[in-house]
Amino acid sequence: MVKAASCFAQVLELVDRHDFARAVRELDAERGAKGFRCWDQLVAMLFCQVGSAHSLREICGGLATALGRVVHLGLKEAPKRSTLAYANEHRPWELYERTFGQMLERCRELAAERRRAFRFKNPLRVLDSTAIDLCLEVFDWARYRRTKGAVKVHLQLDDRGCLPCWALVTEGCVHDVRVAQGLSFAPGTIVAMDRGYVDYGLFGRWSAQDVRFVTRMKTNALYEVVETLPPAPGVLRAQRIRLTGSAAAACPVLLRRVVVWDEEYQREIALLTNDHRLAPGTIARIYRFRWQIELFFKALKQNLRIKTFVGTSENAVKIQIWTALIAMLLLKFLQLKSSWAWSLSNLAAMFRFNLLTYRDLWAWLDDPYGVPIREPTGEQLVLPI
């Protein structure tokens, strides 16, 4: 790690340049390029994310005012607005999807050293989506409603390190169940999701593949109680049930119904799962853990540029979303690497303030408010009398 460079330059070294260059060649992403490389585009869009730039003018102007510091970022000069806008519109967004996957592997290696939230060894995935509102007159390709546009970011969160391990960007009108039907999980995986993903045909297929789920039960679900299970701490009722009506043919397996008390809203919550091994209290904790993805979406929208876009085409919007996810992985890596008790929002803000500061990034992460140690130069400072 080069310490005689800005904090931003040291963070960019976490992105493997060889893997990035290989992806550029495989996708032929620089076809017809005249000096402005894909790496330059990645640096500019990450500067937009972590530097909280609102427009192309702020991105290009912010890099241009950095004087010679852009050399350590791998840039020869700051890009022009028209050049960056053209690249965002025409270069494939799949390049940054691959970069996200490469960065995810580095974060997983670091998160593997951390203690898991649960004792069981099954992989735990939290599945959810968030909608980003767009103006239909400007983003005419993002159909959602008659007078409204939107895109959806579908995400899977890994319980180890709360890392986003899979993402998909679609139009706002694409239903969550439709996306879930195209997913595949390894046998033994536990998927936690909200009530919007309830599809009994999908649950029947997952049960046949030994994929377990924990979700909230719909109030109009038809079922019959097969067995009442012994009470458990923190659980009102635990039952083994069989679906009836039209859902019985789609999901003929026995399921478990776990009823817990929601202290915040003073109501009962009925959970549905096909896992018959874990304790009812653990099932309730798994569903409560689902809230981590809501916190992730909140942090993504509050700390990165994902609600306002610097381009209007579908390709430009997807590039900005994928670079936001890459920036989130970079922040997660810094958070996992540091011994300081950083919150993600505080880390994003403090890193933004020190983005182009020349200092040892890793020493700053462990002691952000300490005074940097200056090595003696051998010269004696003479004060005027």
Side-chain angles (χ1 to χ4, degrees), residues 292-305:
Q292 293 298 320
I293 199 169
E294 303 289 352
L295 298 178
F296 180 88
F297 285 138
K298 182 180 179 180
L300 187 67
K301 292 182 177 181
Q302 287 184 345
N303 299 297
L304 299 175
R305 287 296 151 206

Side-chain angles (χ1 to χ4, degrees), residues 151-206:
V151 292
K152 263 188 180 181
V153 180
H154 306 266
L155 202 69
Q156 286 183 35
L157 206 65
D158 194 342
D159 70 313
R160 193 182 291 272
C162 290
L163 297 174
C165 57
W166 174 88
L168 178 67
V169 183
T170 65
E171 296 179 4
C173 59
V174 178
H175 199 278
D176 294 344
V177 172
R178 179 180 169 188
V179 173
Q181 289 171 346
L183 297 177
S184 60
F185 298 95
T189 303
I190 301 175
V191 184
M193 51 200 169
D194 62 10
R195 195 161 45 184
Y197 288 90
V198 172
D199 180 17
Y200 298 119
L202 177 65
F203 292 166
R205 179 163 59 87
W206 280 356

Side-chain angles (χ1 to χ4, degrees), residues 109-338:
E109 293 175 1
L110 195 59
E113 303 173 1
R114 297 299 182 95
R115 185 177 179 180
R116 294 186 61 187
F118 298 91
R119 293 184 179 180
F120 54 78
K121 297 181 179 180
N122 303 69
L124 176 59
R125 300 288 184 267
V126 182
L127 181 62
D128 205 352
S129 68
T130 184
I132 303 172
D133 295 334
L134 300 173
C135 177
L136 190 58
E137 294 182 358
V138 179
F139 303 87
D140 55 353
W141 51 270
R143 296 287 176 181
Y144 183 43
R145 294 174 182 169
R146 181 176 298 179
T147 59
K148 187 177 180 181
V151 292
K152 263 188 180 181
V153 180
H154 306 266
L155 202 69
Q156 286 183 35
L157 206 65
D158 194 342
D159 70 313
R160 193 182 291 272
C162 290
L163 297 174
C165 57
W166 174 88
L168 178 67
V169 183
T170 65
E171 296 179 4
C173 59
V174 178
H175 199 278
D176 294 344
V177 172
R178 179 180 169 188
V179 173
Q181 289 171 346
L183 297 177
S184 60
F185 298 95
T189 303
I190 301 175
V191 184
M193 51 200 169
D194 62 10
R195 195 161 45 184
Y197 288 90
V198 172
D199 180 17
Y200 298 119
L202 177 65
F203 292 166
R205 179 163 59 87
W206 280 356
S207 299
Q209 297 171 355
D210 193 26
V211 176
R212 307 168 193 180
F213 63 86
V214 176
T215 187
R216 189 174 171 185
M217 194 172 186
K218 286 189 173 182
T219 55
N220 60 351
L222 301 178
Y223 65 93
E224 61 179 6
V225 178
V226 177
E227 180 184 1
T228 299
L229 302 176
V235 176
L236 300 180
R237 289 182 299 278
Q239 303 166 329
R240 190 168 282 117
I241 66 171
R242 179 184 292 109
L243 296 175
T244 59
S246 59
C251 185
V253 299
L254 290 179
L255 302 175
R256 267 208 302 176
R257 181 174 181 265
V258 178
V259 181
V260 296
W261 179 253
D262 185 2
E263 190 65 32
E264 181 179 359
Y265 296 99
Q266 295 294 304
R267 61 179 179 178
E268 292 185 358
I269 294 181
L271 305 179
L272 186 67
T273 180
N274 62 344
D275 190 293
H276 298 275
R277 301 178 183 177
L278 297 178
T282 305
I283 298 298
R285 287 181 54 217
I286 289 175
Y287 187 77
R288 282 196 296 268
F289 185 79
R290 193 198 64 82
W291 187 250
Q292 293 298 320
I293 199 169
E294 303 289 352
L295 298 178
F296 180 88
F297 285 138
K298 182 180 179 180
L300 187 67
K301 292 182 177 181
Q302 287 184 345
N303 299 297
L304 299 175
R305 287 296 151 206
I306 199 175
K307 297 176 69 176
T308 57
F309 294 90
V310 298
T312 59
S313 66
E314 181 178 2
N315 195 76
V317 169
K318 287 186 176 182
I319 285 178
Q320 189 166 336
I321 292 176
W322 279 108
T323 51
L325 293 174
I326 295 172
M328 181 60 75
L329 285 180
L330 291 173
L331 291 174
K332 282 282 190 179
F333 187 93
L334 298 182
Q335 187 183 33
L336 292 170
K337 193 73 173 178
S338 174

